Amino acid sequence: MKVLLIEDEPMLLDEMDTYLTEQGYRCEKATTFEVGEDKIVLYEYDVIILDITLPGGNGLQLLQLLKKLHKEAGVLIVSAKDSLPDKLAGLNLGADDYMTKPFHLEELNARVNALVRRKSFKGSPQIVVDDLIIDPIAKTVSCNGTFIMLTRKEFELLLYFIINKNRVVSKQSIAEHLWGDHYDSVDNFDTVYVHTMNLRKKIIAHAGIDYIKTVYGMGYKFTSM
């Protein structure tokens, strides 16, 4: 899961980045309104953690931008402001949740997990695709009671395919999701091909079904029975 942290307090930003990265999220950071705006326009995220008060602008304006661009990211507002008008304004503009500083990182993680389940997996703690059972929190995949051993990148890739089920996803979009700002370092997307093929082989070996189809000249598509 890819998370954008828009926060101008360096210590809190680093704490959130470190903690959520340890929980398996791929985090990108923005410390100003302008940087946050650029990232929202250029990239796709599963969750955006958004401070209201930012250098150069107001976080509520970024919420309006997300709505205008029809972005599907879940939004969790974190702010030192504890006033009802700010909370209502954020929720009315499309935010999914609201936390007041200071907060415990464990609660932040729980809120993010709940948001991911609600937005991407219809609230279910597990994802079931035929005989495959995927647990986004435990980060496990099993088939008929047997665990499929995936690398971290393979697991992230599988979730990305499932979120985009029946859609063609390009190698570039996969690279952006897996490596964030550093996706340009993936030469000719060969690494994307390797991860995809390894994931494909492991699933076929356990489930006997080839869910990941190559769409020549375009990318890949995950389909189920």
Side-chain angles (χ1 to χ4, degrees):
M1 297 288 104
K2 191 175 176 184
V3 178
L4 174 60
L5 306 171
I6 306 179
E7 169 62 58
D8 67 326
E9 295 182 27
M11 184 174 297
L12 176 59
L13 181 62
D14 288 342
E15 288 177 350
M16 290 193 297
D17 180 25
T18 299
Y19 187 85
L20 291 176
T21 298
E22 289 174 351
Q23 304 309 307
Y25 291 99
R26 180 159 301 281
C27 298
E28 294 182 15
K29 298 184 287 186
T31 57
T32 66
F33 178 91
E34 183 178 5
V35 175
E37 183 179 39
D38 287 343
K39 287 184 176 293
I40 285 172
V41 170
L42 293 172
Y43 305 110
E44 299 295 331
Y45 298 94
D46 299 293
V47 175
I48 296 175
I49 298 175
L50 176 64
D51 190 7
I52 290 180
T53 305
L54 296 166
N58 189 291
L60 297 180
Q61 294 173 281
L62 295 179
L63 271 175
Q64 292 174 318
L65 176 62
L66 285 163
K67 186 175 182 179
K68 179 181 178 181
L69 296 176
H70 304 289
K71 298 284 186 173
E72 297 182 358
V75 179
L76 169 61
I77 291 177
V78 292
S79 177
K81 296 183 178 181
D82 193 22
S83 68
L84 182 60
D86 286 323
K87 180 183 292 188
L88 292 178
L91 295 174
N92 286 334
L93 285 171
D96 298 280
D97 201 355
Y98 190 107
M99 290 184 67
T100 302
K101 301 176 186 176
F103 51 80
H104 294 289
L105 293 173
E106 292 81 2
E107 182 182 358
L108 175 69
N109 181 50
R111 298 278 191 105
V112 171
N113 285 336
L115 185 52
V116 168
R117 292 197 302 271
R118 189 162 67 246
K119 297 289 285 189
S120 299
F121 307 126
K122 299 179 181 179
S124 174
Q126 294 183 326
I127 309 157
V128 179
V129 179
D130 299 330
D131 292 328
L132 294 175
I133 299 177
I134 301 97
D135 189 328
I137 306 304
K139 297 177 178 58
T140 60
V141 182
S142 62
C143 180
N144 295 319
T146 301
F147 285 105
I148 303 175
M149 304 308 295
L150 301 181
T151 66
R152 175 174 170 176
K153 281 289 186 290
E154 289 165 359
F155 185 81
E156 292 175 358
L157 180 57
L158 176 59
L159 285 183
Y160 186 64
F161 277 134
I162 291 173
I163 290 172
N164 292 282
K165 184 179 175 182
N166 296 321
R167 301 176 185 170
V168 177
V169 290
S170 68
K171 290 183 179 179
Q172 178 172 333
S173 68
I174 293 172
E176 288 178 2
H177 180 78
L178 294 181
W179 288 278
D181 291 340
H182 307 291
Y183 81 93
D184 287 333
S185 64
V186 185
D187 296 335
N188 299 318
F189 304 118
D190 287 344
T191 308
V192 170
Y193 172 81
V194 171
H195 284 302
T196 302
M197 291 304 102
N198 287 342
L199 173 62
R200 194 175 191 172
K201 290 176 182 177
K202 289 180 181 180
I203 293 178
I204 292 173
H206 288 79
I209 300 173
D210 186 5
Y211 291 102
I212 304 170
K213 308 297 183 183
T214 300
V215 182
Y216 292 99
M218 299 177 67
Y220 303 98
K221 182 196 294 188
F222 186 97
T223 59
S224 63
M225 298 175 64

